Amino acid sequence: MSDEPQIPVSPDDETEIPESHPRYESLLTRHRIEHGVDIGITSRQGLIAQGRGEAYDYLLGEQTIESADDAARAAAAHFLLADQPVVSVNGNVAALVPGEVVELADATGADIEVNLFNRTRERMEAIADHLREHGAEDVKGLAADGEIPGLDHARAKVDADGIGSADVVLVPLEDGDRAQALSAMGKTEVVIDLNPLSRSAQAASVPIVDNIIRAVPNITRHARELRDADEAELRAVVDSFDAETALEAAERAIRRGE
Ligand code: ATP
Ligand code: MG
């Protein structure tokens, strides 16, 4: 792991939280989600999801465990090998790591697509604007001319030339049903989820059990490190990762502090 502070910059009023506070990262995260609700990019359900995530993060010691770092590296290798990688962004992701998502997309040539469980035109547009303010050039998701088979209509909508045709998708904090449906389409699915027992994490080809605020910059760091690796090296990174082993390691860390 790098020694750099893992707290990314932004909203202007964040400086009110003293960095010396022992729970600085957690307070900052809450503040960002709250701000996301205030500006209309995060849903109220997003607050509940955040609370759930925090409980797991507390038990993990609010750090990136080794198996999560391995998963982030495998995710980076998948992204670099992909023909069409896409990062899916929902209201919590947009509130917590907008600039970091743009950096990941830039480092790997991935597209960014807004994809919401509780989809409204206003929220879709607010999130797309928010991402553009953080440097995104092209934001997909508003065309909604494609479908994920096996889900009801509202939940199934994607862009045909985005998630619809992607070979590798990163879905942080995804709903379990949609995670399963995406993986049933044969896509390589990378999930970031602090709960290793969540159906989303279980459905993933690469589950990263880590806080999204640490995981996204970590994938980017690995992608930059692997930038000059040839295909055989990238395949070796992908093949050496085992999802089941990583999920078991995360569960042990949470239950027993190992
Ligand atoms: P399912 O079994 O269907 O996946 P779920 O309980 O996971 O159900 P949700 O509450 O919709 O369903 O999912 C929210 C998930 O997001 C939780 O598993 C939570 O741990 C995770 N989560 C919330 N905040 C973060 C975060 N900052 N970083 C990583 N994961 C997070
Ligand atoms: Mg889940």
Side-chain angles (χ1 to χ4, degrees):
M1 298 291 315
S2 81
D3 294 320
E4 276 158 36
Q6 296 187 328
I7 304 299
V9 279
S10 72
D12 300 341
D13 48 352
E14 276 181 358
T15 45
E16 282 170 28
I17 306 167
E19 274 185 58
S20 59
H21 193 290
R23 317 266 358 271
Y24 175 72
E25 191 176 288
S26 163
L27 293 177
L28 181 66
T29 306
R30 283 185 200 173
H31 184 79
R32 285 193 176 186
I33 289 283
E34 217 183 316
H35 181 69
V37 175
D38 288 344
I39 64 172
I41 61 175
T42 308
S43 71
R44 284 179 302 162
Q45 286 90 337
L47 295 169
I48 297 166
Q50 172 61 31
R52 223 188 220 284
E54 262 185 35
Y56 289 107
D57 205 17
Y58 203 106
L59 294 169
L60 280 171
E62 296 173 335
Q63 58 183 329
T64 301
I65 59 173
E66 198 184 325
S67 56
D69 187 53
D70 293 343
R73 193 167 180 85
H78 272 297
F79 261 62
L80 294 173
L81 283 166
D83 289 327
Q84 199 204 333
V86 176
V87 183
S88 174
V89 174
N90 66 20
N92 285 50
V93 178
L96 292 176
V97 283
E100 292 78 0
V101 161
V102 173
E103 275 196 48
L104 173 61
D106 286 348
T108 57
D111 282 333
I112 298 175
E113 177 160 343
V114 183
N115 201 271
L116 303 182
F117 188 77
N118 300 296
R119 186 188 184 98
T120 67
R121 184 93 206 163
E122 293 70 41
R123 218 149 67 74
M124 293 291 294
E125 276 166 9
I127 291 174
D129 287 345
H130 189 67
L131 290 167
R132 283 189 208 103
E133 277 164 27
H134 283 83
E137 274 161 27
D138 186 24
V139 180
K140 295 188 189 289
L142 290 148
D145 52 353
E147 269 200 10
I148 308 171
L151 296 176
D152 66 83
H153 188 64
R155 307 264 183 261
K157 286 182 188 167
V158 289
D159 276 18
D161 67 350
I163 292 175
S165 53
D167 52 349
V168 177
V169 222
L170 170 65
V171 282
L173 283 59
E174 181 58 282
D175 158 67
D177 266 2
R178 271 217 302 222
Q180 285 171 342
L182 281 170
S183 111
M185 287 178 84
K187 297 183 190 303
T188 297
E189 190 173 25
V190 180
V191 165
I192 300 171
D193 194 320
L194 277 159
N195 176 7
L197 300 175
S198 149
R199 288 178 303 148
S200 330
Q202 303 269 341
S205 324
V206 180
I208 306 175
V209 182
D210 199 8
N211 196 318
I212 188 177
I213 71 169
R214 297 188 300 267
V216 171
N218 200 25
I219 304 171
T220 306
R221 183 176 66 82
H222 281 297
R224 288 187 177 138
E225 235 176 74
L226 291 168
R227 186 166 30 206
D228 298 323
D230 61 24
E231 190 172 334
E233 285 173 74
L234 294 173
R235 293 253 166 249
V237 172
V238 161
D239 292 341
S240 68
F241 177 77
D242 183 66
E244 212 174 311
T245 309
L247 288 174
E248 281 165 11
E251 196 181 335
R252 271 199 310 277
I254 287 169
R255 287 190 193 273
R256 302 208 281 260
E258 282 169 12

